[in-house]
Amino acid sequence: MIRTDLIQLIEQFNPNILAVEAIFFFKNAKTAMSVAQARGVILETAAACGLPVAEYTPMQVKLQITGFGKADKRLVQEMIASLLDLPQIIKPDDASDALAIAACHVRHNYLPSNSLEQVNLIPQQASCAV
């Protein structure tokens, strides 16, 4: 289901890169296994679609979004809502996390030079090997 949904999203929105959170530590082995399995499907799907992947640790995301690498989840959510000029934080938490990773990627790769011209705003048609 993850692969099918991701292929549909890639074909619909034609991104030029996929940004994901790097897995580095989990307290709960059961959670770690589920996340790792889902992440494997996501990485395989990106590869099948010829889509490069950028990985960011939670600390990198927090640093790019809040300026503090050990910020709590609530502060990151508030900053994402502020960056997107939204009246409240985004729910569910996973959606806010995904936007934080995307914003981290943009800030990390395109804002240091103060130029968004590097971003390919005209996506090419995605073609995924099914």
Side-chain angles (χ1 to χ4, degrees):
M1 185 170 76
I2 292 171
R3 188 175 198 279
T4 301
D5 289 351
L6 185 54
I7 286 173
Q8 288 176 344
L9 289 169
I10 290 169
E11 290 176 344
Q12 180 180 355
F13 294 104
N14 299 309
N16 57 7
I17 194 161
L18 182 74
V20 297
E21 184 175 348
I23 297 175
F24 67 101
F25 175 75
F26 273 95
K27 293 178 184 176
N28 183 328
K30 186 176 181 180
T31 301
M33 188 63 76
S34 297
V35 170
Q37 289 172 339
R39 189 172 184 279
V41 170
I42 292 166
L43 295 177
E44 183 281 326
T45 303
C49 294
L51 199 54
V53 175
E55 295 185 73
Y56 299 96
T57 66
M59 187 175 281
Q60 287 174 308
V61 173
K62 292 172 184 180
L63 185 61
Q64 286 291 331
I65 301 305
T66 70
F68 179 59
K70 294 185 179 183
D72 66 12
K73 183 177 280 290
R74 180 69 184 190
L75 180 57
V76 174
Q77 291 172 325
E78 289 171 357
M79 288 300 297
I80 288 298
S82 177
L83 285 169
L84 298 175
D85 198 27
L86 300 172
Q88 59 190 16
I89 65 170
I90 296 163
K91 290 290 184 180
D93 290 352
D94 292 341
S96 184
D97 292 349
L99 288 171
I101 293 166
C104 170
H105 177 74
V106 169
R107 289 182 143 208
H108 185 267
N109 290 283
Y110 303 107
L111 292 187
S113 67
N114 291 325
S115 171
L116 291 176
E117 293 175 19
Q118 300 172 32
V119 180
N120 180 8
L121 297 177
I122 304 172
Q124 304 299 314
Q125 184 61 36
S127 176
C128 301
V130 180

